[in-house]
Amino acid sequence: MAAKKASESFSKTLIEEVHKWGCMKQTGVSLRYMMEFGSKPTQRNLLISGQFLHKELPIRIARRAIELESLPYGLSEKPAVLKVACFFMLYVDLLEPLMESWRNSLYPESAFEAMVRDWYLDSFRDLRSFPEIKDTNDEREFTQMIKAIKVRHNNVVPMMALGVQQLKKGMDPKIVYEDLDEIHQFLDRFYLSRIGIRMLIGQHVELHNPNPPLHCVGYIHTKMSPVEVAQNASEDARCICLREYGSAPEVNIYGDPKFTFPYVPTHLHLMVFELVKNSLRAVQERYMDSDGVVPPIRIIVADGIEDVTIKVSDEGGGIPRSGLPKIFTYLYSTARNPLDEYSDLGTADTVTMAGYGYGLPISRLYARYFGGDLQIISMEGYGTDAYLHLSRLGDSQEPLP
C-alpha cells in the first residue's frame, strides 16, 4: 500500500487546525519553577497544572506533527515514522469520521500494526472525549488519562530509531551521515520536545503521589546526590556488560557522597548509564584478548558554583579524530544494530550495550534540557573523557524547539 502524507489523507479543515495549534506560542518552565510550584501540591495548584497541560500539550504536539509531515530524504515515508506521525496528529483534537481513512492510508502492513494502531486509537478516543477541566474531579480524570498515554507511547524512541535505520539502509553508502544536517536537527528538536512533554506529564502525575519519597517534589529530588546516582547507574551498566561479555571492568567513583543539589534523578541516571556503558564496552573490547590488567572506568563528580560536572574517563582506545564529528549524530554507531536482531519491537525490551546510535545525542539533549551540556574529548590510542555539565542554578527555561 502506498504511503501518503497527512495533507493527502485529511481534510483541509483538519490540516488548518493542526497548523493553527502549531503556530501558538509555547510556554517554557524552569526546574526551579517546577520545584517551587510543586512544593505545595494543593488541589488549587493541581487544577492550575492540569489546565496548563490541557492547553500546552496540544501546542507542542502540533509543532511536531507539522514537521513529521515533511521530513527530508524521504524519512516521512518510512513506515515506522508514519506510525509516530499518527500519534502526533491524533493527539490534536481530530474528528472521528477521519479515522478510517487515516488507518487505510497511513498504516502499511507490518508486524507492529495492530499494537501501534491500538495505542493511537485509544489515545485519540481519550483525548477527543475529554472536556474542559473545571474542577478537581476533572483534573483527576485528566491526570489518569495522560498517565496512561505516557505509558502507552513508551516505545516511540525505538520506533523512530527503526524509521531512521530504514532510511539508512536505503541511502547511498557514500553519503557522509554527519552532513545530513536536516535529519539531525529534526531529530534533536523531536527528542528534545519529547523530553519536555514527558517531563511535564510525569511531574504533574507524580505530584498526586500521596506518599512521595523524602525530599522529592514530583520527579525532582531537592537533595539529589550525584555520587549516589552515578553509583546506581554504573552498577546497572556493569550488569549489562556482564551479560553481554561475561565480565566487566571496575568503575571507581570520586566525589563527596554527602553533596546534593536539586535535579531529576531519572535524567541523570540515564545520562551516566549511557556514558559508563560506552566506556565499559570500549575497555572490554580492547582488553578482551589481553592478559594485562583491565583498567577501571573513573568517574569524578565536581561541585562548581554554576555547574555540577561529572567526568567519565576510560582507557578504551579512544576515538579517531575522523570519528568525532559523528558521535552526536543519529545515523552512526560502531556496534551491531539491535533492531536488526528484533524484527518485532514488542520483543526488543532488553537493554543492549550499543547499536542504536542514540545514546550520546539523546544524553546531550537531556543535559541541555535543564541548561547543561555534554562534551566528549578523546585521545586515539588511549581513551575518552566525557564531561557532563549540569546547571545547579535551576533557573534555565526549557529549550522549546
Side-chain angles (χ1 to χ4, degrees):
M1 182 185 301
K4 297 181 182 179
K5 291 185 177 182
S7 59
E8 299 171 357
S9 305
F10 289 96
S11 69
K12 181 180 179 181
T13 302
L14 174 63
I15 299 302
E16 288 176 350
E17 182 181 0
V18 172
H19 281 264
K20 181 184 75 173
W21 279 94
C23 290
M24 293 181 185
K25 184 179 179 180
Q26 301 174 96
T27 303
V29 294
S30 67
L31 178 69
R32 178 174 294 177
Y33 179 81
M34 289 186 195
M35 186 169 59
E36 292 176 352
F37 182 86
S39 63
K40 297 179 180 179
T42 61
Q43 290 187 352
R44 180 177 180 275
N45 280 358
L46 291 173
L47 181 62
I48 292 172
S49 177
Q51 291 170 338
F52 168 72
L53 292 181
H54 194 247
K55 179 181 179 181
E56 179 68 15
L57 293 178
I59 296 174
R60 299 191 182 197
I61 298 299
R63 285 172 176 253
R64 303 285 75 80
I66 293 169
E67 281 200 317
L68 281 165
E69 187 186 351
S70 55
L71 299 181
Y73 303 101
L75 186 57
S76 295
E77 311 303 326
K78 302 305 176 186
V81 176
L82 289 169
K83 297 176 190 303
V84 176
C86 184
F87 161 61
F88 286 106
M89 294 296 289
L90 295 183
Y91 198 99
V92 183
D93 190 14
L94 306 183
L95 303 175
E96 185 71 49
L98 294 167
M99 291 307 301
E100 188 63 31
S101 64
W102 175 269
R103 289 196 299 270
N104 290 339
S105 60
L106 290 188
Y107 275 115
E109 292 297 326
S110 75
F112 317 123
E113 179 172 4
M115 174 180 65
V116 177
R117 182 180 60 213
D118 289 347
W119 291 349
Y120 299 150
L121 291 179
D122 289 344
S123 296
F124 170 78
R125 281 190 281 264
D126 291 344
L127 291 163
R128 176 67 180 88
S129 62
F130 205 90
E132 181 182 357
I133 301 173
K134 296 181 179 180
D135 54 33
T136 299
N137 289 333
D138 290 345
E139 186 275 326
R140 287 174 180 169
E141 292 180 14
F142 176 75
T143 298
Q144 292 304 312
M145 185 260 292
I146 61 175
K147 180 180 179 180
I149 288 176
K150 181 173 179 286
V151 172
R152 187 182 301 146
H153 297 281
N154 281 343
N155 275 343
V156 165
V157 170
M159 189 68 77
M160 283 297 291
L162 177 61
V164 172
Q165 292 301 322
Q166 290 168 345
L167 169 67
K168 185 176 179 180
K169 286 183 178 180
M171 291 176 63
D172 187 336
K174 296 181 181 179
I175 292 178
V176 181
Y177 295 136
E178 63 268 24
D179 289 342
L180 300 176
D181 288 339
E182 288 181 276
I183 293 290
H184 304 312
Q185 290 173 12
F186 159 73
L187 290 170
D188 272 347
R189 291 191 301 270
F190 178 86
Y191 287 121
L192 190 58
S193 177
R194 184 176 187 268
I195 290 169
I197 290 169
R198 293 179 71 81
M199 179 65 198
L200 292 180
I201 293 177
Q203 179 71 4
H204 179 82
V205 170
E206 191 59 28
L207 288 177
H208 286 76
N209 187 345
N211 300 301
L214 186 64
H215 304 306
C216 285
V217 177
Y219 269 8
I220 304 165
H221 196 303
T222 61
K223 295 185 177 182
M224 184 198 73
S225 166
V227 169
E228 182 179 337
V229 174
Q231 288 172 339
N232 293 334
S234 299
E235 289 172 5
D236 290 346
R238 289 191 76 247
C239 286
I240 303 301
C241 189
L242 283 167
R243 188 191 70 201
E244 295 258 342
Y245 296 104
S247 62
E250 294 295 326
V251 179
N252 297 333
I253 302 176
Y254 306 91
D256 183 1
K258 296 181 180 179
F259 162 65
T260 65
F261 77 112
Y263 205 73
V264 181
T266 53
H267 287 194
L268 181 57
H269 185 284
L270 179 147
M271 292 182 282
V272 175
F273 173 81
E274 288 294 339
L275 295 175
V276 173
K277 181 163 62 73
N278 287 348
S279 291
L280 289 171
R281 172 176 169 252
V283 172
Q284 186 68 29
E285 294 190 353
R286 187 185 190 195
Y287 289 88
M288 188 178 298
D289 299 322
S290 172
D291 294 330
V293 178
V294 178
I297 312 301
R298 298 179 302 280
I299 300 177
I300 301 173
V301 179
D303 170 22
I305 296 175
E306 294 184 3
D307 286 350
V308 174
T309 302
I310 300 176
K311 177 183 177 182
V312 180
S313 299
D314 67 61
E315 297 177 33
I319 304 168
R321 274 195 306 139
S322 62
L324 285 174
K326 304 176 183 178
I327 61 176
F328 286 112
T329 70
Y330 295 90
L331 290 164
Y332 175 77
S333 176
T334 58
R336 68 184 185 278
N337 179 11
L339 293 173
D340 290 336
E341 300 179 17
Y342 301 97
S343 60
D344 183 350
L345 282 180
T347 66
D349 56 0
T350 302
V351 179
T352 61
M353 282 297 287
Y356 290 102
Y358 275 36
L360 285 179
I362 286 187
S363 293
R364 185 170 65 173
L365 293 180
Y366 270 98
R368 289 178 172 178
Y369 179 67
F370 282 127
D373 207 355
L374 173 61
Q375 297 174 315
I376 304 294
I377 298 176
S378 189
M379 182 185 295
E380 185 182 10
Y382 182 76
T384 301
D385 293 339
Y387 292 86
L388 179 59
H389 303 282
L390 310 174
S391 173
R392 66 173 302 174
L393 303 179
D395 53 4
S396 296
Q397 293 287 329
E398 289 179 283
L400 299 174

